[in-house]
Amino acid sequence: MSKTVLQATDLAKTYQEGNLVTPVLKALNFSLQAQERLAIIGSSGSGKSTLLHLLAGLDKPTAGEVTLMGEPLSHLSEVKRGQLRNRYIGFVYQFHFLLPELTAVENVMMPLRIRRSPWKTAQQKAEYLLEKVGLAHRLHHKPSELSGGERQRVAIARALITEPACILADEPTGNLDEKAADEVFELMLGLNQDFNTALLIVTHDLKLAAKLDRQMLLTEGRLQPTQITPPALI
């Protein structure tokens, strides 16, 4: 029986500025199972990034609940949410957010160093993951010395180093050219299988979304199942 990694129950988010009330998400319900690959698609401004922040406990919902590995996030302190996030979730963003003063291997080590893992242990694991993403020859290069696709590969290695139950990816190929985007996406799918992690990607790229197990459309603040015919195949 598959285990539920993430679950959203009646999840809602509303922003208020003065008398202006803007509902972004409205009573969303869905779950992500272990090793499942889910794409959430939607136009710019549809609330995809807001949803990811709620799922990771980086923001609090106006209503509803997010459960991560059986733990309701609203019942936890900020410190406990951070610990749970560090243990079970890896992030890949459109912009890699690598620390510019650190080398590739040092950037990948960071989540384990935050856990106070021994330097040597973190270094060995980071080097192994950089080899897995094809960057064994770039261990000691800083982000400014890497191409866009290489930086995103470093970010993927960093997301995997804690052996998370789930990878959350926010437009992970949106800042890359088509060739680099295809390479990075195929790499993510392969690593998803190798490391048995669930994968949730928010994207507007229908071609990439169609390669995942399941697709959902976020529109007018609500999620609904959808099926995609990639544009290249129409």
Side-chain angles (χ1 to χ4, degrees), residues 4-9 11 28-33 55 65-71:
T4 300
V5 175
L6 269 172
Q7 184 163 335
T9 305
L11 192 66
L28 303 187
N29 291 278
F30 83 97
S31 62
L32 180 70
Q33 306 303 310
L55 293 177
E65 182 63 272
V66 173
T67 304
L68 172 60
M69 299 300 289
E71 293 274 5

Side-chain angles (χ1 to χ4, degrees), residues 6-229:
L6 269 172
Q7 184 163 335
T9 305
D10 295 329
L11 192 66
K13 183 66 177 180
T14 298
Y15 292 103
Q16 182 168 356
E17 186 174 346
N19 294 325
L20 180 62
V21 177
T22 306
V24 179
L25 303 176
K26 306 171 184 176
L28 303 187
N29 291 278
F30 83 97
S31 62
L32 180 70
Q33 306 303 310
Q35 301 179 39
E36 183 182 17
R37 303 183 297 185
L38 169 65
I40 293 179
I41 59 175
S43 60
S44 179
S46 61
K48 301 189 302 296
S49 295
T50 297
L51 176 58
L52 278 194
H53 291 161
L54 294 176
L55 293 177
L58 293 168
D59 194 6
K60 293 182 179 180
T62 305
E65 182 63 272
V66 173
T67 304
L68 172 60
M69 299 300 289
E71 293 274 5
L73 296 184
S74 67
H75 295 183
L76 304 177
S77 67
E78 187 173 344
V79 170
K80 289 291 186 182
R81 284 199 306 273
Q83 291 172 343
L84 201 67
R85 184 166 54 243
N86 181 266
R87 180 178 179 184
Y88 291 120
I89 294 180
F91 295 94
V92 182
Y93 297 100
Q94 177 176 354
F95 301 99
H96 49 79
F97 294 115
L98 301 178
L99 297 175
E101 68 275 16
L102 300 184
T103 64
V105 71
E106 289 167 343
N107 267 287
V108 176
M109 290 167 60
M110 281 302 296
L112 289 186
R113 294 297 295 150
I114 290 171
R115 289 186 183 182
R116 301 189 179 183
S117 296
W119 181 276
K120 192 65 176 178
T121 300
Q123 182 181 30
Q124 289 175 343
K125 194 164 186 180
E127 290 176 353
Y128 165 74
L129 284 167
L130 285 168
E131 182 179 357
K132 289 285 287 184
V133 300
L135 293 178
H137 60 304
R138 296 289 203 179
L139 299 180
H140 305 295
H141 288 66
K142 292 185 177 179
S144 62
E145 300 169 317
L146 302 173
S147 69
E150 287 172 336
R151 292 172 198 160
Q152 203 64 319
R153 287 169 181 261
V154 174
I156 292 168
R158 180 182 57 189
L160 287 167
I161 197 166
T162 58
E163 300 180 29
C166 177
I167 296 288
L168 300 181
D170 190 355
E171 300 282 7
T173 61
N175 201 36
L176 304 175
D177 61 52
E178 185 175 358
K179 182 176 183 295
D182 286 343
E183 290 176 352
V184 165
F185 197 82
E186 291 301 327
L187 174 67
M188 292 184 70
L189 295 184
L191 292 172
N192 158 256
Q193 294 180 327
D194 292 346
F195 288 86
N196 296 318
T197 181
L199 178 62
L200 190 158
I201 295 179
V202 298
T203 184
H204 65 272
D205 190 323
L206 301 184
K207 178 183 174 183
L208 299 184
K211 296 181 180 181
L212 302 188
D213 302 329
R214 185 161 61 103
Q215 299 84 31
M216 300 189 79
L217 176 64
L218 181 58
T219 180
E220 297 182 351
R222 300 186 185 278
L223 269 179
Q224 59 188 40
T226 189
Q227 290 185 327
I228 298 171
T229 300

